[in-house]
């Protein structure tokens, strides 16, 4: 399968713990996005990478959240000192880059986080 | 921001054609219209994208009138496996990724 992959698929943690999620984009895609989705809502944009550069962060991304994309390949999203409100599905997407308007994002299966 | 409005839910019988209309009155000149499908516990899946008139692919058709203030996703002969949430997005996903908003979508239920 050459699609976007995310690990782990599920994560249960206790409040206050740190968690890290990984996303492996489609290999030739230079753009990578992170979203958060809560039950009954559409995905909300969190942050975006063009190759290894993090170019945009939503105000939804508090200081407890950090994302990296070393070498412009896979990306990690870390949440420090998790809170119960962080419980959500965290989605990663990638796109080829370079297109205007026609850019299509391809999503991974997501990581479902439950903070107890 | 180009806000979109679409029905919260729809029901259809198997084998029927389903049309989901999305309103986007303040669409900008550079904006494209993109539809995604999402099954429970999965990420959204790209269905179709268009700028104007009609676009058709192997799974759906997208109709966009001349004023581009609305669009209609058409799913021919739906089956039970088409039960999902469908999102209409409007924007320039090449540059305004952070302003392309997923609303609550339309929850389609296909009935046997």
């Amino acid at each position: 399968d050459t699609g976007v992959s995310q690990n782990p698929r599920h994560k249960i943690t206790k409040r206050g713990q740190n968690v890290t999620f990984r996303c492996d984009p489609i290999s030739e895609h230079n753009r990578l996005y992170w979203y958060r989705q809560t039950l009954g809502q559409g995905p909300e944009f969190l942050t975006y990478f063009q190759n290894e550069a993090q170019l945009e962060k939503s105000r939804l991304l508090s200081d407890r959240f950090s994302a990296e994309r070393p070498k412009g390949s896979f990306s990690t999203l870390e949440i420090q000192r998790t809170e119960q409100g962080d419980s959500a599905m965290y989605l990663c997407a990638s796109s080829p880059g370079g297109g205007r308007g026609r850019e299509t994002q391809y999503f991974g299966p997501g990581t479902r986080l439950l903070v107890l | 921001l180009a806000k979109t409005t679409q029905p919260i839910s729809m029901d259809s019988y198997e084998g029927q054609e389903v049309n989901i209309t999305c309103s986007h009155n303040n669409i900008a000149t550079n904006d494209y219209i993109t539809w995604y499908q999402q099954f429970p516990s999965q990420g959204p899946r790209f269905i179709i994208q268009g700028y104007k008139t009609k676009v058709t692919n192997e799974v759906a058709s997208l109709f966009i009138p001349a004023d581009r203030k609305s669009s209609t996703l058409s799913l021919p002969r739906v089956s039970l496996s088409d039960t999902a949430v469908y999102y209409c997005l409007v924007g320039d996903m090449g540059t305004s990724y952070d302003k392309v908003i997923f609303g609550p979508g339309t929850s389609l239920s296909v009935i046997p």
Side-chain angles (χ1 to χ4, degrees), chain B residues 2 4 7-9 12 14-15 20 34 41 46 48 59 77 86 100-101 108:
Chain B
T4 61
I8 293 297
S9 63
S12 176
E14 269 192 298
I20 306 175
T34 309
S41 299
F46 172 82
I48 199 166
V59 298
R77 299 178 299 281
Y86 293 82
V100 178
I101 298 173
L108 173 65

PDB file of all heavy atoms in Angstrom, chain B residues 2 4 7-9 12 14-15 20 34 41 46 48 59 77 86 100-101 108:
ATOM      1  N   ALA B   2     -14.537  31.105   2.338  1.00  0.00           N
ATOM      2  CA  ALA B   2     -15.693  30.661   1.583  1.00  0.00           C
ATOM      3  C   ALA B   2     -16.428  29.625   2.418  1.00  0.00           C
ATOM      4  O   ALA B   2     -16.042  28.467   2.477  1.00  0.00           O
ATOM      5  CB  ALA B   2     -15.254  30.064   0.260  1.00  0.00           C
ATOM      6  N   THR B   4     -19.372  27.057   3.443  1.00  0.00           N
ATOM      7  CA  THR B   4     -20.245  26.157   2.703  1.00  0.00           C
ATOM      8  C   THR B   4     -21.399  25.716   3.570  1.00  0.00           C
ATOM      9  O   THR B   4     -21.275  25.617   4.789  1.00  0.00           O
ATOM     10  CB  THR B   4     -19.480  24.914   2.220  1.00  0.00           C
ATOM     11  OG1 THR B   4     -18.981  24.199   3.357  1.00  0.00           O
ATOM     12  CG2 THR B   4     -18.313  25.286   1.324  1.00  0.00           C
ATOM     13  N   PRO B   7     -26.743  19.907   3.474  1.00  0.00           N
ATOM     14  CA  PRO B   7     -27.663  19.254   4.406  1.00  0.00           C
ATOM     15  C   PRO B   7     -26.908  18.400   5.409  1.00  0.00           C
ATOM     16  O   PRO B   7     -25.881  17.797   5.089  1.00  0.00           O
ATOM     17  CB  PRO B   7     -28.557  18.407   3.482  1.00  0.00           C
ATOM     18  CG  PRO B   7     -27.830  18.322   2.191  1.00  0.00           C
ATOM     19  CD  PRO B   7     -26.986  19.525   2.083  1.00  0.00           C
ATOM     20  N   ILE B   8     -27.417  18.345   6.614  1.00  0.00           N
ATOM     21  CA  ILE B   8     -26.759  17.572   7.669  1.00  0.00           C
ATOM     22  C   ILE B   8     -26.876  16.078   7.400  1.00  0.00           C
ATOM     23  O   ILE B   8     -25.940  15.317   7.638  1.00  0.00           O
ATOM     24  CB  ILE B   8     -27.358  17.905   9.037  1.00  0.00           C
ATOM     25  CG1 ILE B   8     -27.023  19.351   9.402  1.00  0.00           C
ATOM     26  CG2 ILE B   8     -26.821  16.954  10.108  1.00  0.00           C
ATOM     27  CD1 ILE B   8     -25.551  19.622   9.544  1.00  0.00           C
ATOM     28  N   SER B   9     -28.037  15.654   6.879  1.00  0.00           N
ATOM     29  CA  SER B   9     -28.217  14.226   6.642  1.00  0.00           C
ATOM     30  C   SER B   9     -29.154  13.992   5.464  1.00  0.00           C
ATOM     31  O   SER B   9     -29.950  14.859   5.100  1.00  0.00           O
ATOM     32  CB  SER B   9     -28.770  13.535   7.887  1.00  0.00           C
ATOM     33  OG  SER B   9     -30.053  14.032   8.194  1.00  0.00           O
ATOM     34  N   SER B  12     -31.347   7.456   1.408  1.00  0.00           N
ATOM     35  CA  SER B  12     -31.647   7.022   0.051  1.00  0.00           C
ATOM     36  C   SER B  12     -31.747   5.507   0.025  1.00  0.00           C
ATOM     37  O   SER B  12     -31.106   4.814   0.816  1.00  0.00           O
ATOM     38  CB  SER B  12     -30.545   7.469  -0.919  1.00  0.00           C
ATOM     39  OG  SER B  12     -30.785   6.965  -2.220  1.00  0.00           O
ATOM     40  N   GLU B  14     -31.119   1.880  -1.862  1.00  0.00           N
ATOM     41  CA  GLU B  14     -30.112   1.291  -2.754  1.00  0.00           C
ATOM     42  C   GLU B  14     -30.546   1.398  -4.205  1.00  0.00           C
ATOM     43  O   GLU B  14     -31.726   1.249  -4.531  1.00  0.00           O
ATOM     44  CB  GLU B  14     -29.954  -0.202  -2.419  1.00  0.00           C
ATOM     45  CG  GLU B  14     -28.907  -0.511  -1.399  1.00  0.00           C
ATOM     46  CD  GLU B  14     -28.602  -2.003  -1.343  1.00  0.00           C
ATOM     47  OE1 GLU B  14     -29.523  -2.778  -1.012  1.00  0.00           O
ATOM     48  OE2 GLU B  14     -27.465  -2.368  -1.636  1.00  0.00           O
ATOM     49  N   GLY B  15     -29.610   1.658  -5.079  1.00  0.00           N
ATOM     50  CA  GLY B  15     -29.895   1.701  -6.503  1.00  0.00           C
ATOM     51  C   GLY B  15     -30.343   3.045  -7.022  1.00  0.00           C
ATOM     52  O   GLY B  15     -30.397   3.254  -8.239  1.00  0.00           O
ATOM     53  N   ILE B  20     -26.293  15.582  -3.671  1.00  0.00           N
ATOM     54  CA  ILE B  20     -26.039  16.388  -2.479  1.00  0.00           C
ATOM     55  C   ILE B  20     -25.589  17.767  -2.945  1.00  0.00           C
ATOM     56  O   ILE B  20     -24.581  17.896  -3.642  1.00  0.00           O
ATOM     57  CB  ILE B  20     -24.948  15.762  -1.586  1.00  0.00           C
ATOM     58  CG1 ILE B  20     -25.295  14.316  -1.240  1.00  0.00           C
ATOM     59  CG2 ILE B  20     -24.786  16.587  -0.311  1.00  0.00           C
ATOM     60  CD1 ILE B  20     -24.202  13.594  -0.466  1.00  0.00           C
ATOM     61  N   THR B  34     -14.140  20.902  -3.913  1.00  0.00           N
ATOM     62  CA  THR B  34     -13.650  19.541  -3.713  1.00  0.00           C
ATOM     63  C   THR B  34     -14.589  18.786  -2.784  1.00  0.00           C
ATOM     64  O   THR B  34     -15.061  19.344  -1.802  1.00  0.00           O
ATOM     65  CB  THR B  34     -12.238  19.567  -3.093  1.00  0.00           C
ATOM     66  OG1 THR B  34     -11.382  20.430  -3.855  1.00  0.00           O
ATOM     67  CG2 THR B  34     -11.634  18.165  -3.068  1.00  0.00           C
ATOM     68  N   SER B  41     -14.162   6.004  11.498  1.00  0.00           N
ATOM     69  CA  SER B  41     -12.819   5.585  11.911  1.00  0.00           C
ATOM     70  C   SER B  41     -11.822   5.522  10.753  1.00  0.00           C
ATOM     71  O   SER B  41     -10.827   4.788  10.824  1.00  0.00           O
ATOM     72  CB  SER B  41     -12.871   4.221  12.608  1.00  0.00           C
ATOM     73  OG  SER B  41     -13.668   4.307  13.773  1.00  0.00           O
ATOM     74  N   PHE B  46     -10.659  11.492  -1.069  1.00  0.00           N
ATOM     75  CA  PHE B  46     -10.991  12.388  -2.182  1.00  0.00           C
ATOM     76  C   PHE B  46     -11.957  11.711  -3.143  1.00  0.00           C
ATOM     77  O   PHE B  46     -11.770  10.556  -3.519  1.00  0.00           O
ATOM     78  CB  PHE B  46      -9.708  12.776  -2.922  1.00  0.00           C
ATOM     79  CG  PHE B  46      -9.929  13.529  -4.198  1.00  0.00           C
ATOM     80  CD1 PHE B  46     -10.152  14.896  -4.174  1.00  0.00           C
ATOM     81  CD2 PHE B  46      -9.917  12.878  -5.422  1.00  0.00           C
ATOM     82  CE1 PHE B  46     -10.341  15.598  -5.357  1.00  0.00           C
ATOM     83  CE2 PHE B  46     -10.121  13.569  -6.606  1.00  0.00           C
ATOM     84  CZ  PHE B  46     -10.321  14.932  -6.567  1.00  0.00           C
ATOM     85  N   ILE B  48     -13.934  13.948  -5.802  1.00  0.00           N
ATOM     86  CA  ILE B  48     -13.976  14.678  -7.056  1.00  0.00           C
ATOM     87  C   ILE B  48     -13.682  16.142  -6.797  1.00  0.00           C
ATOM     88  O   ILE B  48     -13.901  16.637  -5.692  1.00  0.00           O
ATOM     89  CB  ILE B  48     -15.357  14.488  -7.742  1.00  0.00           C
ATOM     90  CG1 ILE B  48     -15.300  14.837  -9.230  1.00  0.00           C
ATOM     91  CG2 ILE B  48     -16.445  15.267  -7.013  1.00  0.00           C
ATOM     92  CD1 ILE B  48     -16.526  14.335 -10.003  1.00  0.00           C
ATOM     93  N   VAL B  59     -16.540   7.414 -10.030  1.00  0.00           N
ATOM     94  CA  VAL B  59     -17.405   7.221  -8.867  1.00  0.00           C
ATOM     95  C   VAL B  59     -18.502   8.270  -8.735  1.00  0.00           C
ATOM     96  O   VAL B  59     -19.515   8.018  -8.083  1.00  0.00           O
ATOM     97  CB  VAL B  59     -16.593   7.193  -7.558  1.00  0.00           C
ATOM     98  CG1 VAL B  59     -15.633   6.032  -7.560  1.00  0.00           C
ATOM     99  CG2 VAL B  59     -15.878   8.491  -7.315  1.00  0.00           C
ATOM    100  N   ARG B  77     -26.658   5.379  -8.611  1.00  0.00           N
ATOM    101  CA  ARG B  77     -26.984   4.020  -8.155  1.00  0.00           C
ATOM    102  C   ARG B  77     -26.221   3.646  -6.885  1.00  0.00           C
ATOM    103  O   ARG B  77     -25.328   2.780  -6.890  1.00  0.00           O
ATOM    104  CB  ARG B  77     -26.694   3.001  -9.251  1.00  0.00           C
ATOM    105  CG  ARG B  77     -27.512   3.219 -10.521  1.00  0.00           C
ATOM    106  CD  ARG B  77     -27.157   2.209 -11.607  1.00  0.00           C
ATOM    107  NE  ARG B  77     -25.758   2.306 -12.020  1.00  0.00           N
ATOM    108  CZ  ARG B  77     -25.288   3.217 -12.833  1.00  0.00           C
ATOM    109  NH1 ARG B  77     -26.081   4.151 -13.326  1.00  0.00           N
ATOM    110  NH2 ARG B  77     -23.998   3.224 -13.158  1.00  0.00           N
ATOM    111  N   TYR B  86     -20.200  13.019   3.690  1.00  0.00           N
ATOM    112  CA  TYR B  86     -19.653  13.669   2.492  1.00  0.00           C
ATOM    113  C   TYR B  86     -19.407  15.150   2.792  1.00  0.00           C
ATOM    114  O   TYR B  86     -20.306  15.850   3.243  1.00  0.00           O
ATOM    115  CB  TYR B  86     -20.618  13.502   1.308  1.00  0.00           C
ATOM    116  CG  TYR B  86     -20.715  12.068   0.872  1.00  0.00           C
ATOM    117  CD1 TYR B  86     -21.547  11.172   1.542  1.00  0.00           C
ATOM    118  CD2 TYR B  86     -19.940  11.590  -0.176  1.00  0.00           C
ATOM    119  CE1 TYR B  86     -21.606   9.838   1.167  1.00  0.00           C
ATOM    120  CE2 TYR B  86     -20.001  10.259  -0.564  1.00  0.00           C
ATOM    121  CZ  TYR B  86     -20.831   9.392   0.115  1.00  0.00           C
ATOM    122  OH  TYR B  86     -20.884   8.062  -0.252  1.00  0.00           O
ATOM    123  N   VAL B 100      -9.321  26.345   4.132  1.00  0.00           N
ATOM    124  CA  VAL B 100     -10.249  25.397   3.519  1.00  0.00           C
ATOM    125  C   VAL B 100     -10.873  24.607   4.656  1.00  0.00           C
ATOM    126  O   VAL B 100     -10.214  23.791   5.289  1.00  0.00           O
ATOM    127  CB  VAL B 100      -9.534  24.472   2.525  1.00  0.00           C
ATOM    128  CG1 VAL B 100     -10.518  23.472   1.948  1.00  0.00           C
ATOM    129  CG2 VAL B 100      -8.894  25.296   1.414  1.00  0.00           C
ATOM    130  N   ILE B 101     -12.122  24.894   4.920  1.00  0.00           N
ATOM    131  CA  ILE B 101     -12.761  24.399   6.139  1.00  0.00           C
ATOM    132  C   ILE B 101     -13.663  23.210   5.837  1.00  0.00           C
ATOM    133  O   ILE B 101     -14.502  23.274   4.946  1.00  0.00           O
ATOM    134  CB  ILE B 101     -13.577  25.517   6.801  1.00  0.00           C
ATOM    135  CG1 ILE B 101     -12.657  26.671   7.200  1.00  0.00           C
ATOM    136  CG2 ILE B 101     -14.339  24.988   8.007  1.00  0.00           C
ATOM    137  CD1 ILE B 101     -13.393  27.883   7.695  1.00  0.00           C
ATOM    138  N   LEU B 108     -24.858  10.545   4.763  1.00  0.00           N
ATOM    139  CA  LEU B 108     -25.731   9.806   3.851  1.00  0.00           C
ATOM    140  C   LEU B 108     -25.950   8.398   4.383  1.00  0.00           C
ATOM    141  O   LEU B 108     -24.987   7.677   4.643  1.00  0.00           O
ATOM    142  CB  LEU B 108     -25.119   9.742   2.456  1.00  0.00           C
ATOM    143  CG  LEU B 108     -25.845   8.853   1.443  1.00  0.00           C
ATOM    144  CD1 LEU B 108     -27.229   9.414   1.138  1.00  0.00           C
ATOM    145  CD2 LEU B 108     -25.026   8.695   0.162  1.00  0.00           C
TER     146      LEU B 108
END
